[in-house]
């Protein structure tokens, strides 16, 4: 087979995959081996670039990717003490994400792979998050498992049957949980921490909540007393709006630090309770599907939140299975998760053509419909 021939001369060592991530505002790359060892990684955050705007500006994000990606790739290889000749495949985020940002990474990966005759792997961003907990721990995190994907762009529960095979159980009807965290933090006037690891409005709200009284401002748990209570879907828009109405009514002063902390704690308490209940529902739905899950996996940027992790650990314990999470620094967008997803897909011969394009909106359920095979497309295009 073509892939076997390509890697045959390197069979004496583990494969190395270069991963590239540019789906939003992180310019990231990493080299990961087949046994899950991170050889090197580089991440250029843009927190200071977007802080003044209170959110991500797509045009600015893409411009910074274009400026920094070549240097990020060079630095990643230099840190690994490797050249491109030592890389066995190139993996890149194909979607979903911001179109202009995705385009920068995809164009770079296609050119790099084509020039050097390397296999090219287009990675679904959410699959990469879902598989991250398996890196180097495949014996502990076996299929099928329930995955809770919680990030700034997505909130969903799904059954991971295998690589490339997922069944969505519940998803958000409006805002993602990460988006709600960010918007409430902005309404509270919380500062946007600029940190290479862990910066952003969501972590700012989590830190503020640690100093607050969660019971001072009783906030309703979404979808808790309505006909939608039995649905596995999520909704965070109403909770976010409730906070804004309290602010507009003068119930708290966003310039007073204790008010900020108390509202942050109340919001986080309600949001986490919602995640807990819907994850428990998802576990029941998985059983109804005839799936016996091996564990619950939490991934995505919000999975680094300690309160969220504890709540999901409680749900998993009641199901009699463990909660598995990537390290907090690997919950947010990074090149490591793309490289690892590339490893998992490379093993199965799921290669892509040098002519593929990014996909801005891409339901994870449809991943298995893509025309993948171990074929000559990455070499004969």
């Amino acid at each position: 087979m073509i892939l076997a021939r390509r890697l045959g001369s390197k069979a004496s060592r583990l494969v190395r995959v270069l991963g590239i991530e540019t789906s939003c505002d992180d310019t990231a790359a990493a080299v990961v081996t087949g046994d899950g060892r991170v050889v090197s990684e580089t991440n250029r955050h843009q927190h200071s670039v977007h802080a003044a705007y209170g959110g991500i500006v797509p045009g600015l994000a893409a411009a910074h990717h274009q400026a920094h990606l070549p240097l990020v790739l060079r630095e990643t290889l230099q840190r690994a003490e490797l050249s491109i000749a030592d890389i066995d495949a190139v993996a890149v985020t194909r979607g979903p994400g911001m179109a202009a940002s995705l385009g920068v990474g995809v164009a770079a990966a296609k050119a790099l792979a084509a020039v050097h005759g390397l296999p090219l792997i287009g990675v679904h961003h959410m699959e990469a998050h879902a598989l991250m907990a398996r890196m180097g721990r495949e014996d502990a995190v076996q299929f099928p498992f329930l995955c809770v994907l919680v990030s700034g762009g997505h909130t969903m529960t799904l059954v991971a049957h295998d690589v490339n095979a997922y069944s969505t159980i519940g998803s958000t009807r409006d805002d993602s949980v990460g988006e709600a965290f960010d918007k409430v933090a902005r309404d509270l006037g919380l500062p946007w921490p600029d940190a290479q690891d862990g910066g952003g409005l969501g972590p700012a709200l989590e830190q503020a909540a640690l100093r607050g009284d969660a019971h001072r401002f009783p906030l309703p748990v979404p979808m808790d007393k309505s006909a939608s209570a039995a649905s596995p879907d999520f909704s965070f828009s109403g909770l976010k709006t409730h906070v804004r109405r309290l602010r507009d009514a003068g119930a708290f002063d966003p310039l007073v630090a204790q008010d900020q902390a108390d509202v942050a704690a109340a919001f986080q308490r309600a949001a986490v309770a919602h995640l807990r209940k819907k994850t428990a529902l998802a576990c029941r739905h998985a059983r109804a599907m005839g799936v016996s899950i091996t564990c619950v996996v939490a991934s995505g940027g919000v999975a680094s939140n300690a309160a969220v992790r504890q709540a999901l650990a409680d749900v998993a314990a009641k199901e009699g299975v463990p909660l598995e999470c990537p390290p907090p620094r690997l919950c947010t967008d990074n090149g490591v998760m793309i490289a690892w997803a590339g490893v998992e897909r490379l093993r199965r011969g799921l290669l892509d053509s040098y002519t593929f394009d990014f996909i801005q909106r891409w339901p994870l359920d449809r991943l298995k419909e893509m025309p993948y095979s171990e074929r000559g497309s990455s070499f004969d295009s």
Side-chain angles (χ1 to χ4, degrees):
M1 296 189 297
I2 292 173
L3 181 59
R5 289 201 302 271
R6 165 72 197 179
L7 300 179
S9 62
K10 304 180 180 181
S12 60
R13 63 161 174 79
L14 292 166
V15 296
R16 302 185 186 107
V17 175
L18 173 66
I20 301 172
E21 156 62 14
T22 63
S23 66
C24 190
D25 64 327
D26 288 302
T27 310
V31 175
V32 172
T33 62
D35 63 348
R37 182 171 63 91
V38 179
V39 182
S40 67
E41 61 176 309
T42 309
N43 199 336
R44 291 288 179 271
H45 298 283
Q46 300 179 20
H47 298 144
S48 60
V49 175
H50 303 282
Y53 302 94
I56 308 302
V57 181
L60 281 176
H64 278 75
H65 287 314
Q66 290 176 331
H68 295 299
L69 184 56
L71 301 177
V72 164
L73 290 171
R74 184 179 70 177
E75 183 175 335
T76 301
L77 290 173
Q78 287 178 340
R79 286 179 172 178
E81 298 182 345
L82 299 172
S83 71
I84 193 65
D86 300 309
I87 298 300
D88 300 305
V90 177
V92 62
T93 306
R94 184 178 185 182
M98 298 191 302
S101 291
L102 289 168
V104 175
V106 166
K110 287 162 63 174
L112 195 61
V115 168
H116 295 280
L118 295 171
L120 178 63
I121 303 159
V123 172
H124 193 294
H125 185 81
M126 302 315 293
E127 178 177 50
H129 276 305
L131 296 175
M132 190 67 258
R134 280 174 47 83
M135 188 178 74
R137 303 185 70 248
E138 293 110 303
D139 290 342
V141 186
Q142 296 186 10
F143 298 106
F145 57 82
L146 181 81
C147 186
V148 186
L149 292 174
V150 282
S151 70
H154 306 272
T155 302
M156 64 176 69
T157 51
L158 55 91
V159 172
H161 302 280
D162 200 345
V163 174
N164 208 53
Y166 303 89
S167 297
T168 299
I169 295 177
S171 60
T172 184
R173 297 181 176 184
D174 39 65
D175 293 347
S176 70
V177 61
E179 184 181 5
F181 265 78
D182 288 352
K183 288 180 177 178
V184 170
R186 193 176 303 124
D187 287 343
L188 292 175
L190 296 174
W192 186 320
D194 182 16
Q196 277 297 297
D197 290 292
L201 289 171
L205 189 143
E206 180 184 6
Q207 289 303 309
L210 293 175
R211 306 186 302 271
D213 176 3
H215 301 282
R216 180 182 167 197
F217 297 100
L219 294 177
V221 176
M223 301 173 68
D224 197 37
K225 296 180 179 178
S226 66
S228 58
S231 169
D233 288 340
F234 301 87
S235 174
F236 293 94
S237 179
L239 180 58
K240 171 201 68 182
T241 301
H242 196 100
V243 172
R244 187 165 296 171
R245 287 174 178 166
L246 287 176
R247 182 202 63 184
D248 294 344
F252 67 87
D253 186 346
L255 298 178
V256 175
Q258 193 57 53
D259 281 4
Q260 288 179 328
D262 291 345
V263 175
F267 168 80
Q268 179 172 269
R269 179 173 179 267
V272 169
H274 184 46
L275 287 171
R276 180 191 297 112
K277 290 187 177 184
K278 295 305 182 179
T279 300
L281 273 173
C283 290
R284 291 200 286 273
H285 276 259
R287 286 198 299 274
M289 294 165 58
V291 176
S292 180
I293 60 173
T294 64
C295 61
V296 174
V297 168
S299 196
V302 181
S304 63
N305 180 292
V308 170
R309 286 192 178 219
Q310 184 57 59
L312 297 182
D314 292 343
V315 173
K318 289 180 180 178
E319 291 293 319
V321 296
L323 175 71
E324 300 289 349
C325 305
R329 71 178 187 84
L330 295 179
C331 285
T332 55
D333 294 350
N334 59 82
V336 173
M337 72 181 198
I338 304 304
W340 176 251
V343 168
E344 295 254 41
R345 298 182 72 78
L346 181 66
R347 289 170 175 167
R348 292 160 173 79
L350 299 172
L351 308 181
D352 290 285
S353 167
Y354 294 144
T355 61
F356 83 75
D357 203 355
F358 64 82
I359 305 175
Q360 184 177 7
R361 294 179 178 83
W362 192 6
L364 190 55
D365 299 72
R366 299 187 61 181
L367 186 60
K368 58 181 176 291
E369 300 173 9
M370 304 297 287
Y372 300 115
S373 64
E374 185 184 357
R375 58 196 189 284
S377 60
S378 285
F379 309 102
D380 301 336
S381 296

